[in-house]
Amino acid sequence: MAHEQHQQLLETLHECMEECNHCFDACLKEDDVRMMAECIRLDRECADMCGYLEQAISRNSPFVKELAGVCATICEACGKECEKHEHDHCQKCAEACFKCAEACRAVA
């Protein structure tokens, strides 16, 4: 079963999605939300893509490799944006994104 074969990736995707959602919410509460706009946008993109890939794996989609490649690209972009910000939530998100990008590249 695909979901058993990709169990570690599923966990990494879920962790990344959770960190991106937390970062998204925390960024909206920062004093200068405009400065966080790109971070917020990429948090949403990344969380949505990680969630989608998680679902695709669980239903044994024939496009897992292709989706994993796209997910790696989005995670990398989100991580690079988040690491620009000193906030703890951004730094944790960047770490999760880079870990997820690496895991996705291994499948892609």
Side-chain angles (χ1 to χ4, degrees):
M1 308 249 331
H3 69 278
E4 291 169 346
Q5 175 189 353
H6 295 296
Q7 190 58 44
Q8 185 60 50
L9 177 57
L10 287 167
E11 290 172 21
T12 303
L13 286 163
H14 196 78
E15 289 169 15
C16 188
M17 180 185 66
E18 286 182 334
E19 286 297 334
C20 286
N21 281 330
H22 173 71
C23 188
F24 169 83
D25 183 58
C27 284
L28 288 173
K29 296 173 185 167
E30 292 295 339
D31 291 334
D32 188 0
V33 175
R34 287 184 117 174
M35 184 185 83
M36 305 307 295
E38 187 65 7
C39 189
I40 292 166
R41 188 178 74 76
L42 288 172
D43 282 338
R44 288 295 341 124
E45 292 283 339
C46 192
D48 288 350
M49 187 62 213
C50 288
Y52 185 76
L53 180 54
E54 195 175 355
Q55 291 175 44
I57 291 168
S58 69
R59 68 176 169 264
N60 200 25
S61 169
F63 304 106
V64 167
K65 286 185 177 188
E66 293 86 347
L67 292 168
V70 171
C71 193
T73 300
I74 294 170
C75 286
E76 189 75 26
C78 188
K80 286 180 180 178
E81 179 60 31
C82 284
E83 75 179 350
K84 294 177 186 176
H85 305 284
E86 295 178 14
H87 312 298
D88 188 51
H89 57 86
C90 288
Q91 293 300 311
K92 285 182 179 176
C93 188
E95 186 178 319
C97 286
F98 291 139
K99 179 181 174 184
C100 194
E102 184 178 326
C104 285
R105 277 193 292 273
V107 172

